Amino acid sequence: MFKQMLAAAGVGGAEVDTELFTPGVQPGGLVEGVIRLRGGRVDQAVGQVAVEFITRVEREYSDGEERVADQAFGRVAVTGPFTLGAGRITEFRFAAPVPLETPITFFDGHHLPGAAVALRTVVDLHGAVDSTDTDPIGIGALPAQHVVLDAVRRMGFPLLRTDVEAGRINRTPQRLPFYQELEFGRSPHFPRVNQLEVTFIATETGMAVVLEADIQGSLLRGTRDGIGMFWVDYAQLAHQDWTREIHQSLHRLGALG
C-alpha cells in the first residue's frame, strides 16, 4: 500500500511503497526488494532514498528508568538526489546486507517472543516531512546459533522471552550499539540457576557466546550473577559437543556446586 508523503506548503504529496522479495533471511544475508515512488500534484525534490533495519531497544537512563524505542542500523543508500515528477511512478531495486549482529526473530520454525525486526524505507524530501514505509521481516537463527540454542533447550532451560539492550559487551567483537538477550527459565538439572541469559555476537568466521546466569545463593552468600563466554568457530561447529561446552561454562561460574 502506498504511504503518503507531504509536499512543501501542504500541496498534494507523493506516495511511497516498498515490496520485499525476501520476507525472511539470516544475519549476513541480503534483503532484496523494490521501492516505488508515485508523484503527487506537484514536482518534488528528493534528497535521498535509503533503507535501514530497525528493532526495539531497551535503554536505561540515569534516573533508573528503562525506555524502549526504535533503533535504526545497517542503513543503505538506494539513490541520490533527483526530482520526482508530478504523477510519475519511479521504481528502484535494492539489496540491503543484513548485519551479522542483527537480532534473530525465529528459531526452529517458531517466532521468538519479544523479538521484532523490520526494514524501513526513508525518503528525504526537500521542504517536506520525511516519509517512511516499514515492513517487518523474519530473521532466522544462524547454524551456530541454532546449535547452541538447541543445546541449551536440551539441558532443560525453557525459553521465556527475548529483548534487545543498548550498550556493549566487553571483550567481544561487537560492532552494533546494542545486543540481543535470550532469556531462559529454570532447568530441573541446574537447580541453582534461577535464570540464564544467552547473547550472540556473530562475525564472519565465528561467534562469541555470552552466558549470564542468575545463581541462587546459600545461607552465607546471596544470589549473584555469573558471566562467562566461549567462542564458536564455524569451521568446528559439527566437531564439538556444545552441551558439554555450556555445562563447563556453568561449572566455571559456580552454578553446579
Side-chain angles (χ1 to χ4, degrees):
M1 180 181 294
F2 277 97
K3 306 293 174 61
Q4 187 75 18
M5 301 187 295
L6 303 178
V11 180
E15 295 173 302
V16 59
D17 177 62
T18 302
E19 178 186 354
L20 298 183
F21 304 149
T22 318
V25 69
Q26 289 180 314
L30 285 175
V31 172
E32 299 184 74
V34 60
I35 299 166
R36 298 185 181 92
L37 299 177
R38 184 166 64 189
R41 295 195 297 271
V42 296
D43 292 351
Q44 288 182 260
V46 179
Q48 184 187 66
V49 178
V51 292
E52 60 190 12
F53 298 94
I54 57 172
T55 191
R56 301 285 285 172
V57 174
E58 292 185 6
R59 191 179 304 274
E60 186 172 343
Y61 290 84
S62 56
D63 58 6
E65 284 194 25
E66 288 189 353
R67 302 182 182 92
V68 180
D70 286 342
Q71 170 81 53
F73 62 101
R75 186 181 178 108
V76 175
V78 177
T79 184
F82 70 99
T83 298
L84 180 62
R88 181 180 176 183
I89 295 180
T90 303
E91 294 187 352
F92 301 101
R93 293 285 297 265
F94 68 89
V98 183
L100 281 165
E101 295 173 38
T102 299
I104 59 175
T105 64
F106 280 86
F107 162 64
D108 200 21
H110 299 285
H111 180 262
L112 295 174
V117 175
L119 186 84
R120 181 164 62 190
T121 304
V122 182
V123 182
D124 173 23
L125 292 170
H126 292 173
V129 176
D130 286 0
S131 178
T132 62
D133 183 18
T134 302
D135 299 272
I137 55 175
I139 308 295
L142 290 166
Q145 293 170 324
H146 193 283
V147 166
V148 171
L149 290 176
D150 187 56
V152 173
R153 183 174 59 182
R154 286 188 284 106
M155 294 170 73
F157 292 100
L159 179 64
L160 301 180
R161 65 186 67 87
T162 68
D163 61 23
V164 179
E165 297 194 5
R168 297 188 178 275
I169 300 178
N170 294 331
R171 298 184 295 112
T172 72
Q174 182 182 350
R175 294 184 177 182
L176 294 180
F178 56 78
Y179 55 90
Q180 182 181 31
E181 288 187 337
L182 295 97
E183 182 181 322
F184 293 83
R186 299 177 68 102
S187 165
H189 308 299
F190 300 86
R192 292 194 58 201
V193 179
N194 297 321
Q195 177 180 296
L196 179 65
E197 293 177 343
V198 180
T199 293
F200 301 112
I201 305 296
T203 72
E204 293 284 351
T205 59
M207 182 177 69
V209 180
V210 182
L211 303 178
E212 183 174 355
D214 179 47
I215 301 172
Q216 185 174 314
S218 61
L219 292 175
L220 301 178
R221 190 173 187 180
T223 300
R224 61 185 177 85
D225 288 335
I227 300 178
M229 181 169 56
F230 61 88
W231 181 258
V232 178
D233 186 335
Y234 297 153
Q236 300 299 317
L237 184 61
H239 306 295
Q240 287 187 249
D241 184 343
W242 297 107
T243 300
R244 180 181 178 184
E245 182 70 44
I246 296 168
H247 191 281
Q248 290 177 340
S249 294
L250 292 176
H251 178 69
R252 288 192 292 267
L253 297 179
L256 307 183

